[in-house]
Amino acid sequence: MANRPGGAMASRPLHFIWLVDCSGSMAADGKVQSLNSAIREALPHMADVARENPNAELLLRAVAFSNGARWHVANPTPVEEFRWEDVEASGITDMGKAFRTVAEQLRVPPMSERALPPVLALLSDGQPSDDWQNGLAELMAQPWGKKAVRIAIAIGADADHEVLSRFIGNPELRPLQANNPEALVRHIRWVSTVVVQSASAPGTQQADGSPISSNVVIPPSDPSAAGPSSAADVW
Amino acid sequence: MTGLLRPGQTVGTVGSPSKCKVVRLLGGGGQGEVYEADLGGRPVALKWYFAHTATAQQRRALEPLITKGSPTEQFLWPLFLAEERGVPGFGYLMALREQRFKSTSDLMTRRIEPTFRCVATACFGLASAFLELHAKGLCYRDISFTNVFIDPNAGDIRICDNDNVGIDRATDAAVGGTPRFMAPEIVRCEQKPCRETDQYSLAVLLFYMLVMHHPLEGAHEAAIRCMDVPAMTKLYGKEPRFIFDPGNPSNAPVPGLHDNAIEFWPLYPSFLRALFVHSFTQGLADPQRRVTDSQWRKALVRLRDAIMHCDRCGSELFYEADPAEAAGRRCWSCRAPLHNPWRITIGGQAVVLNGDTRLYPHHLQATPTYDFSAPMAEVSQHPTDPNTWGLKNTSSVAWTTTTASGDVLEVAPGRSLKLALGARVSFGSVEGVIEG
């Protein structure tokens, strides 16, 4: 017999989608292996954040893009049940197709009318090889695409910061540069925890009372955590 | 490598002769990471700040807290500063939270399933703890799920993240608060956290724990598609409206979306609902008219006293003293009609007499002292006649009772008075009458 009536407190879905570059260049220097490892490593920390945010029902998905784009994990999956199968690297960088693939799923339906701002986390090491501008336009044409918190991680020196910045679309947030596996682990963990926390409780106000300019406030990532970016770099 | 510190690493402590050895990472938050550590054989918790939060301001905020000491044992209070040459930033040591304490998030998602008595006890503990903190001239600034832990069996509580505590209105805050818990004037950027904003946040947390829902999330919340900063600023700051505002039903809870609110709210006694109404109507707009910690403490101990059990299924229910409010009430579990329980009324307030009821100093003394370790009376079963119940004197002074024929009998310590309707008992400074 239950001790008290009712159920869990009301929550809203928080859709988190990884957009993962699986182009051939990701095979160099173990980048794709580092990425697989970093996402897997971040999952328990992400689950901890989800546990502490009962207002949010965190649901994960992933799109892999190279020659075209495909759902690597298609069903919105609760973080406790989410398993990261390794992605492999080969082919070109059809980032625009990834944007389109996500845009289709951000329509209402299948998206619910009521939700928290989705989080789209883009990881890429190179230049898009397709028409990314139109893909991005399709994504931004969706109300949930526009409302999404869009974060980008640039893997290695050849990532196109201009494209990643256009994806982010917020001058206060720059792409996170990962020049070595350690930085990649930290950035992926930051996205998985701090960004998820911010999207779950988007109203966090700075103590100085400064007005909020975007629809979700993202605290700064720890600059000391980026690691060396010169001779010690692996890539 | 992840984490700011490594297991096995030692860091120095300011004010303690021992070095502190890092054992393992327990978790991370927006400001830093918390580790289990060993201080001279004693297990402690060590919080270490991220580089961007390890500010001189944060350090200055911690020092007076360490000097002042903890308001009550419920606070996992900063004990010593920690620092180490060659390691960026700094941290502080505090008591380690025992395993029996679970997060309030677990309560809200039903991963723990305490009784009503346990939740009421935890709420009472919260009000008492913040009363003591505020009495020291401090304010907490960030009351939320993340910072409050509950023992789902006993109802004890622990409050962590005390590094945001400061002297009320005198020191700067590193935090503005947690969304959904921040007072409307903070959400509107008009005010910084202070005692009155703590009182608002406490009322939100109490409502969450008792009603399993947010007090402002009704029809207005249902109409919001994307819950982002502009939406939350409107809902919790610019146009806040209580979901049970008797003068304005526009933000009533919506069936299907806000069912906990609809189900829990009518179960509680009217005196408790009145305090929430006050908190989230007059207290929303006027910080000076918020329900104070001591009002909550008094009401929550009264809520414990109102717990009764369904005659048919045994579920916990609450006694309603107002006959108009009590009419037609049914058990939330089996729908059986509610009957008035046996109770003792002392100083106008009823204490339901269940098989395990105890009376404490605050019931029997004119000056209330909340000490649950020293019961002064308890309901007891007759040793040879299990159908006869009594009130046993577990205090050190004799009570007196007057029989129907006018004789005065003494109930010495260790003796029990038979529970009978209309029986009156004098506890010295106060008198009780048994009702049913």
Side-chain angles (χ1 to χ4, degrees):
Chain A
M1 190 181 73
N3 284 333
R4 293 175 304 140
M9 68 177 278
S11 65
R12 285 179 176 238
L14 196 179
H15 290 279
F16 186 108
I17 304 176
W18 294 109
L19 291 83
V20 180
D21 185 342
C22 296
S23 60
S25 56
M26 284 290 289
D29 302 319
K31 277 186 278 193
V32 76
Q33 288 85 350
S34 291
L35 179 145
N36 284 321
S37 162
I39 291 183
R40 205 172 285 127
E41 191 278 334
L43 287 173
H45 303 286
M46 203 174 197
D48 285 347
V49 173
R51 277 178 74 91
E52 292 309 318
N53 282 283
N55 306 85
E57 182 197 359
L58 179 61
L59 298 165
L60 307 186
R61 273 178 279 182
V63 168
F65 58 96
S66 53
N67 295 335
R70 61 177 180 83
W71 283 101
H72 181 57
V73 178
N75 291 326
T77 308
V79 60
E80 300 82 12
E81 297 166 22
F82 189 82
R83 298 283 173 272
W84 183 257
E85 301 294 335
D86 285 354
V87 291
E88 289 177 10
S90 73
I92 55 175
T93 310
D94 283 343
M95 191 185 285
K97 290 200 174 65
F99 294 154
R100 264 185 218 108
T101 303
V102 172
E104 282 166 19
Q105 289 301 309
L106 291 185
R107 289 203 176 94
V108 180
M111 276 286 283
S112 58
E113 286 195 342
R114 295 166 68 252
L116 286 156
V119 178
L120 308 180
L122 173 63
L123 297 97
S124 176
D125 76 332
Q127 318 265 334
S129 42
D130 65 348
D131 179 6
W132 64 271
Q133 285 101 331
N134 270 325
L136 185 58
E138 279 186 34
L139 180 64
M140 296 303 285
Q142 294 303 323
W144 283 121
K146 210 179 296 172
K147 290 281 191 183
V149 181
R150 297 176 305 277
I151 303 286
I153 299 177
I155 304 174
D158 296 334
D160 190 331
H161 277 242
E162 170 60 24
V163 172
L164 299 182
S165 296
R166 290 276 300 278
F167 168 75
I168 293 169
N170 176 355
E172 290 171 16
L173 286 177
R174 292 174 41 211
L176 300 167
Q177 182 65 40
N179 288 333
N180 53 51
E182 189 175 280
L184 185 62
V185 164
R186 284 193 184 273
H187 291 330
I188 285 180
R189 181 154 157 196
W190 180 78
V191 174
S192 306
T193 55
V194 178
V195 175
V196 167
Q197 170 68 43
S198 299
S200 304
T204 307
Q205 187 201 278
Q206 305 304 306
D208 61 8
S210 56
I212 289 154
S213 57
S214 61
N215 75 324
V216 171
V217 179
I218 310 288
S221 63
D222 180 2
S224 70
S229 57
S230 55
D233 292 354
V234 176
W235 300 319
Chain B
M1 187 190 81
T2 60
L4 301 168
L5 304 174
R6 293 185 315 278
Q9 181 176 359
T10 59
V11 295
T13 53
V14 180
S16 162
S18 310
K19 275 217 163 197
C20 169
K21 188 174 178 184
V22 176
V23 176
R24 66 188 176 107
L25 178 67
L26 293 174
Q31 293 179 317
E33 292 176 335
V34 178
Y35 295 84
E36 184 183 334
D38 180 291
L39 181 70
R42 172 185 170 197
V44 289
L46 168 64
K47 175 165 176 175
W48 202 265
Y49 291 97
F50 292 130
H52 67 275
T53 56
T55 60
Q57 183 191 346
Q58 181 64 69
R59 198 180 167 114
R60 277 198 307 275
L62 281 165
E63 284 164 346
L65 301 181
I66 292 167
T67 309
K68 248 180 189 302
S70 181
T72 72
E73 65 170 2
Q74 279 86 13
F75 293 92
L76 300 175
W77 201 255
L79 302 170
F80 302 106
L81 281 174
E83 60 189 355
E84 185 65 30
R85 188 170 294 175
V87 181
F90 61 90
Y92 70 88
L93 297 174
M94 62 192 140
L96 196 60
R97 176 167 50 83
E98 296 162 63
Q99 288 293 311
R100 68 186 171 107
F101 290 100
K102 309 296 179 193
S103 149
T104 10
S105 298
D106 289 346
L107 175 73
M108 300 313 298
T109 51
R110 314 297 289 240
R111 285 187 289 256
I112 56 172
E113 202 53 61
T115 60
F116 273 115
R117 178 170 297 280
C118 174
V119 175
T121 303
C123 289
F124 167 82
L126 279 170
S128 300
F130 285 109
L131 177 65
E132 298 297 329
L133 179 113
H134 291 144
K136 280 198 156 198
L138 301 170
C139 65
Y140 184 80
R141 296 174 170 144
D142 194 18
I143 296 172
S144 74
F145 294 140
T146 320
N147 304 335
V148 172
F149 293 82
I150 169 173
D151 176 343
N153 296 310
D156 297 340
I157 53 133
R158 291 293 179 266
I159 300 164
C160 67
D161 284 354
N162 294 295
D163 48 345
N164 295 320
V165 172
I167 296 167
D168 192 28
R169 291 181 169 80
T171 52
D172 289 338
V175 291
T178 296
R180 302 180 180 90
F181 289 89
M182 285 187 283
E185 64 270 25
I186 299 183
V187 177
R188 294 192 302 262
C189 299
E190 297 166 2
Q191 176 65 270
K192 289 187 172 181
C194 61
R195 186 183 60 235
E196 286 77 20
T197 65
D198 273 358
Q199 283 167 346
Y200 175 85
S201 305
L202 175 64
V204 171
L205 181 60
L206 296 175
F207 192 88
Y208 257 136
M209 290 170 70
L210 290 164
V211 182
M212 299 290 288
H213 192 76
H214 192 284
L216 307 180
E217 292 178 4
H220 297 175
E221 188 270 346
I224 294 169
R225 292 190 172 185
C226 181
M227 188 58 82
D228 57 6
V229 169
M232 291 182 78
T233 304
K234 187 175 169 189
L235 188 64
Y236 305 114
K238 291 184 176 161
E239 297 173 21
R241 174 72 61 192
F242 187 36
I243 56 174
F244 297 113
D245 185 336
N248 184 333
S250 68
N251 194 26
V254 176
L257 293 178
H258 308 134
D259 290 342
N260 275 348
I262 296 165
E263 193 152 7
F264 277 89
W265 180 250
L267 304 181
Y268 290 106
S270 47
F271 70 83
L272 186 82
R273 285 181 283 136
L275 275 192
F276 279 124
V277 169
H278 183 99
S279 283
F280 298 118
T281 54
Q282 297 171 59
L284 261 185
D286 185 351
Q288 298 306 321
R289 300 192 69 182
R290 290 193 174 139
V291 175
T292 63
D293 306 326
S294 58
Q295 281 179 288
W296 280 123
R297 185 172 70 165
K298 193 173 166 189
L300 290 161
V301 81
R302 206 175 149 194
L303 182 67
R304 278 171 46 106
D305 290 342
I307 291 171
M308 54 186 270
H309 295 274
C310 174
D311 295 340
R312 189 195 288 169
C313 73
S315 293
E316 283 179 304
L317 308 161
F318 295 94
Y319 166 65
E320 171 61 65
D322 180 341
E325 290 281 344
R329 283 194 161 203
R330 288 179 175 272
C331 171
W332 58 263
S333 179
C334 74
R335 312 307 300 167
L338 265 59
H339 303 296
N340 275 343
W342 283 74
R343 57 202 185 272
I344 182 165
T345 300
I346 308 165
Q349 294 200 353
V351 181
V352 172
L353 296 171
N354 299 307
D356 56 356
T357 296
R358 291 171 164 186
L359 302 180
Y360 297 95
H362 65 270
H363 293 116
L364 304 187
Q365 293 175 351
T367 314
T369 308
Y370 294 99
D371 181 1
F372 292 101
S373 67
M376 299 179 78
E378 64 184 32
V379 171
S380 62
Q381 216 164 3
H382 193 277
T384 55
D385 177 6
N387 292 321
T388 298
W389 291 83
L391 189 65
K392 183 177 181 181
N393 183 350
T394 58
S395 76
S396 56
V397 295
W399 310 335
T400 55
T401 184
T402 309
T403 66
S405 55
D407 295 332
V408 175
L409 299 176
E410 185 182 89
V411 185
R415 304 294 299 273
S416 294
L417 166 70
K418 183 183 173 184
L419 294 184
L421 286 185
R424 289 182 175 274
V425 54
S426 171
F427 300 105
S429 53
V430 295
E431 189 183 67
V433 57
I434 310 286
E435 296 173 317

